Every structure is written in C-alpha cells, then in structure tokens.
Amino acid sequence: MSAASTADVPVRPIAIIGGTGPAGMGLALRWARAGETIIIGSRDPLRAQQAAAAVLLKAGPQAKISGTENATACAAADILMLTVPFEGQASLLKQLKPAMTPGSILIDATVPLAAGVGGRASRTLGVWQGSAAEQAAEIVPEEVSVVAAFHNLSAELLYGDLPLDCDVIVCSDDPDAAQLTSDLAKKIPGVRAIFGGKLENARIVEQITALLIGLNFRHKGHAGIRITGLPPGAYR
Ligand SMILES: NC(=O)c1ccc[n+]([C@@H]2O[C@H](COP(=O)([O-])OP(=O)(O)OC[C@H]3O[C@@H](n4cnc5c(N)ncnc54)[C@H](OP(=O)(O)O)[C@@H]3O)[C@@H](O)[C@H]2O)c1
C-alpha cells in the first residue's frame, strides 16, 4: 500500500467566530500564513468578507481565507475559534449551538473584562461558572469539546509580521482537543504551547490578560508571558 500523499489529507477549516476584530484577524493572518484554511465569521457577512479580503492582502494570494455569517462559518468547520467580547459570548453561543457539529472543538479566547460593562480593561468580572471558557462549556452541546487558549497573545502583534514572544497556556478537559490547539498555537512564529490542565484553570489564564493590559497601559508596550523552568517536553 502506498503512503498517503498530502492531497489525501482532508482540509480541516478553522472558523473564527467574531473574526472581524483584532484578535480574530490576527489569528486568521498567522494561520493563513501557515497554510490553514480560514473562514472568518461575523454577524454581518459583508463585514466578514471585508475582513477576509484584508487578511488575504497581508497573507498573500496563496492564502485560503473566506468570510461569511457566523452560523454558516460554524456549520462549515469543526474547529471553531471564538474571539468575541465577553458581553456577547453567551448569547452568540446560544444562537450558534444548533449549527455546531458533534465532535467539534471550540477554542475560546474570551476574557471577561470589566470594560464590557463600563469598568476598566485592567479588571475582570466575576463569572458564575468560574471563567468565560467554563461558561462556554455550559452552553455548547455536550459533544463539543471546549479548549481555553490564546488569551495572553497581543492582537496587535499577531496582526503584524514579526515573531511573537509569548507562550500559550492551553486548558481543556479533552486531551486530544488540547493537543490540536497546541499544534495550532505552535504554527504562530515565536509561540510555544503548554498544557495548563483542566478547563477550570482557564479562570487563572483569563485573569493574566487583565494584568497584561494594565502593564501595557503603564509601560506602553505589548506584554506577553513566558513560562520558564519546565523540561523541553512540556512545550508541546
Ligand atoms: N485584542 C486582544 O489583544 C486580545 C488578546 C487576547 C484575547 N482577547 C479576547 O478575544 C476576544 C476578542 O477580542 P477583540 O479585541 O478582537 O474584540 P472586539 O474587537 O471587541 O470584538 C471582536 C468581534 O466580535 C464581534 N462582536 C462584538 N460584540 C458582539 C456581540 N455582542 N455579540 C456577538 N458578536 C460580537 C464583532 O464582530 P461582528 O460585528 O463582525 O460580528 C467584533 O468585530 C475578547 O474576548 C478579548 O478579551 C483579545
């Protein structure tokens, strides 16, 4: 039997839900450059197409990127990257629930910033479930695995050309979904992925973002995190 050629590998698109903002467009750019097929989702299909066109311009004509309405994007992919503000997260997920395919992975980067309710961006809100990611897990169908990741990456740096200087802590109750997310994280130059344990640890990772935002205000920078002192095998 001959070995499978790359042509036999099925394309597994990544739908970036709420992908028209800085975080979604930054991830779209980096993954498009890495050869991933990207579908940008939006509440407005035209805005999604415009965002896809802007990313295509930066990523180059070989990039595989399109834009459509969130539910259509959701139905067309089984890797769902959620990049919406906390204040829209729950209602959007409830709306998209019927469009989610069983076995899908939802990667959540939501940070429950107090800015969403008129507070400071350097403070977070208490979430009844413990974290935005756990709130997401409560809403999506049982057959959808939730992973928390990418909270600590600067969107501004992601939408640029230089390698990042940041680790991505990946939390999930599903080891396979966590590994797939780590593999995607590693496709971003300068990023290492570290498994951070169960989804309940997302509450800690989400809080770090508020600290980084405070540091950025104070020191006028784009702060990231590096976890040191672990054996090489921890960075996966
Ligand atoms: N910015 C960063 O550096 C960064 C880094 C790490 C994590 N995050 C987190 O990632 C998420 C996205 O960040 P962002 O800066 O890209 O956010 P954003 O620009 O405020 O929002 C992203 C997109 O979400 C959609 N959206 C806004 N309000 C919505 C609502 N009420 N319901 C449904 N969709 C809504 C909008 O798309 P349409 O209008 O086109 O639908 C918008 O373009 C946030 O939770 C943030 O905390 C951000």
Side-chain angles (χ1 to χ4, degrees), residues 26-229:
L27 290 168
L29 175 66
R30 297 299 180 144
W31 286 333
R33 280 183 179 153
E36 296 294 326
T37 300
I38 306 296
I39 308 169
I40 289 190
S42 167
R43 290 168 293 182
D44 175 353
L46 185 62
R47 201 155 47 238
Q49 286 157 19
Q50 286 166 346
V55 175
L56 183 72
L57 209 60
K58 268 179 91 78
Q62 79 295 340
K64 292 163 277 180
I65 179 153
S66 58
T68 185
E69 196 270 323
N70 280 324
T72 312
C74 202
D78 68 353
I79 303 173
L80 313 173
M81 177 73 230
L82 185 67
T83 52
V84 295
F86 176 71
E87 57 273 25
Q89 188 217 36
S91 56
L92 183 64
L93 286 177
K94 281 177 196 162
Q95 185 199 320
L96 295 179
K97 193 173 170 176
M100 293 180 189
T101 319
S104 294
I105 293 167
L106 178 84
I107 309 169
D108 184 75
T110 311
V111 181
L113 295 176
V117 292
R120 292 187 187 174
S122 55
R123 290 181 180 161
T124 53
L125 300 169
V127 183
W128 185 265
Q129 294 83 349
S131 63
E134 289 165 285
Q135 173 170 273
E138 200 177 85
I139 297 168
V140 301
E142 234 176 83
E143 309 77 28
V144 173
S145 290
V146 176
V147 181
F150 303 110
H151 306 86
N152 307 142
L153 291 182
S154 153
E156 206 172 319
L157 297 183
L158 271 176
Y159 202 57
D161 303 320
L162 297 175
L164 277 85
D165 183 13
C166 192
D167 289 338
V168 165
I169 301 179
V170 177
C171 300
S172 181
D173 299 336
D174 178 341
D176 294 338
Q179 187 57 57
L180 181 140
T181 305
S182 297
D183 292 343
L184 288 175
K186 284 186 297 190
K187 293 190 176 198
I188 303 169
V191 167
R192 298 180 307 184
I194 304 168
F195 180 56
K198 286 184 168 291
L199 195 66
E200 64 182 28
N201 288 343
R203 66 192 74 183
I204 305 166
V205 186
E206 292 173 8
Q207 300 289 321
I208 292 171
T209 302
L211 176 70
L212 296 178
I213 291 171
L215 291 172
N216 290 340
F217 283 151
R218 203 163 293 120
H219 301 290
K220 313 282 176 250
H222 300 289
I225 57 160
R226 283 294 193 201
I227 305 296
T228 61

